[in-house]
């Protein structure tokens, strides 16, 4: 008996690509933002912290609509990217990755920030007294010690991306073969008569895929 059909394989591959790209693109910025929030006091820090966590409190549809306004072909950012660089996010899988990255970014930042805040700053000071500059201290002391939080943040961001629906469907719609991910197809099945079995099957697939990839990231 065939476990997955060709269409299901396509949906799983697209969902994994969106989740992995969103996680990978978010990681460098999330580390820098988490480090800045954990280690520095600066004017507007509370505002910056609020902006970082804004996607957690806004309805996902609002985030998707904001992305559509800003990154659509006629938007202030989207038009520039399209005309000058040929980059289009709206109604493309890359837009789904962008929406998922924004929704998962606060979770990644929070996990990494909490991990950095638990590091004994005397270890960093000791490295500095031995002649290491700030960047070298960060790379050789802070980042390795914060690795559990980094991994946790990656898993959270990946899981959020795999399950993201509201922002994605608002920004890039539900286009088969281009932007239709597992949550979008599950939603499609729930809208047609007799689609419950298909929706349940894809739900179980989503759980299995997310658990498998999460375990692999955790072990690494």
């Amino acid at each position: 008996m065939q476990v997955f059909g060709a269409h299901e394989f396509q949906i799983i591959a697209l969902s994994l690509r969106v989740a992995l790209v969103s996680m990978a693109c978010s990681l460098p910025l999330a580390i820098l933002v988490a480090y800045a929030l954990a280690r520095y006091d600066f004017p507007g820090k509370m505002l910056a912290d609020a902006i970082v966590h804004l996607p957690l409190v806004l309805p996902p549809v609002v985030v998707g609509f904001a992305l559509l306004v800003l990154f659509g072909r006629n938007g202030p950012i989207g038009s520039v990217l399209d005309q000058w660089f040929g980059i289009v996010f709206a109604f493309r899988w890359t837009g789904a990755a962008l929406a998922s990255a924004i929704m998962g970014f606060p979770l990644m930042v929070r996990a990494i920030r909490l991990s950095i805040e638990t590091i004994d700053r005397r270890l960093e000071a000791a490295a500095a007294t031995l002649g290491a500059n700030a960047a070298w201290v960060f790379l050789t002391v802070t980042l390795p010690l914060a690795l559990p939080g980094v991994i946790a943040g990656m898993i959270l961001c990946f899981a959020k991306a795999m399950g993201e629906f509201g922002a994605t469907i608002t920004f890039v719609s539900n286009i088969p073969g281009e932007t239709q991910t597992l949550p979008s197809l599950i939603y499609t099945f729930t809208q047609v008569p007799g689609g419950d079995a298909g929706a349940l099957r894809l739900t179980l697939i989503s759980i299995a895929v997310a658990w498998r990839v999460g375990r692999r990231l955790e072990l690494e």
Side-chain angles (χ1 to χ4, degrees):
M1 183 178 65
Q2 188 176 11
V3 180
F4 302 133
H7 183 57
E8 289 175 328
F9 270 120
Q10 182 185 40
I11 295 296
I12 293 171
L14 178 59
S15 299
L16 287 173
R17 180 167 58 170
V18 168
L20 290 172
V21 168
S22 64
M23 180 186 67
C25 292
S26 297
L27 184 58
L29 182 59
I31 291 174
L32 293 177
V33 171
Y35 183 77
L37 293 175
R39 285 289 187 259
Y40 296 104
D41 290 321
F42 52 88
K45 179 178 178 179
M46 292 185 62
L47 178 60
D49 194 14
I51 292 174
V52 167
H53 290 87
L54 196 59
L56 292 181
V57 296
L58 285 176
V61 175
V62 174
V63 176
F65 178 72
L67 288 173
L68 187 60
V69 171
L70 294 174
F71 288 91
R73 285 183 179 271
N74 297 321
I77 301 176
S79 59
V80 174
L81 292 176
D82 185 18
Q83 294 173 13
W84 288 87
F85 303 102
I87 299 174
V88 178
F89 284 105
F91 308 109
R92 302 283 179 86
W93 78 267
T94 50
L98 175 62
S100 298
I102 290 176
M103 295 302 296
F105 187 74
L107 300 174
M108 183 180 285
V109 169
R110 182 166 180 80
I112 299 173
R113 178 183 178 180
L114 291 175
S115 186
I116 292 175
E117 288 177 341
T118 62
I119 297 173
D120 190 345
R121 302 191 69 168
R122 291 176 296 181
L123 298 174
E124 298 171 325
T129 59
L130 295 175
N133 58 33
W136 192 246
V137 170
F138 173 77
L139 291 174
T140 60
V141 178
T142 309
L143 192 57
L145 291 175
L147 190 58
V150 174
I151 294 175
M154 292 171 64
I155 294 173
L156 288 171
C157 185
F158 176 85
K160 180 64 175 176
M162 282 293 293
E164 179 51 43
F165 174 73
T168 301
I169 201 170
T170 305
F171 183 35
V172 298
S173 189
N174 186 11
I175 305 171
E178 180 64 35
T179 65
Q180 190 176 66
T181 57
L182 280 168
S184 301
L185 185 56
I186 291 172
Y187 172 77
T188 300
F189 272 126
T190 62
Q191 302 303 302
V192 298
D196 293 348
L200 178 59
R201 177 182 175 85
L202 290 175
T203 298
L204 295 176
I205 292 173
S206 300
I207 295 171
V209 170
W211 181 84
R212 178 63 177 173
V213 175
R215 285 289 298 168
R216 177 172 290 274
L217 285 173
E218 186 178 4
L219 290 174
E220 292 178 354

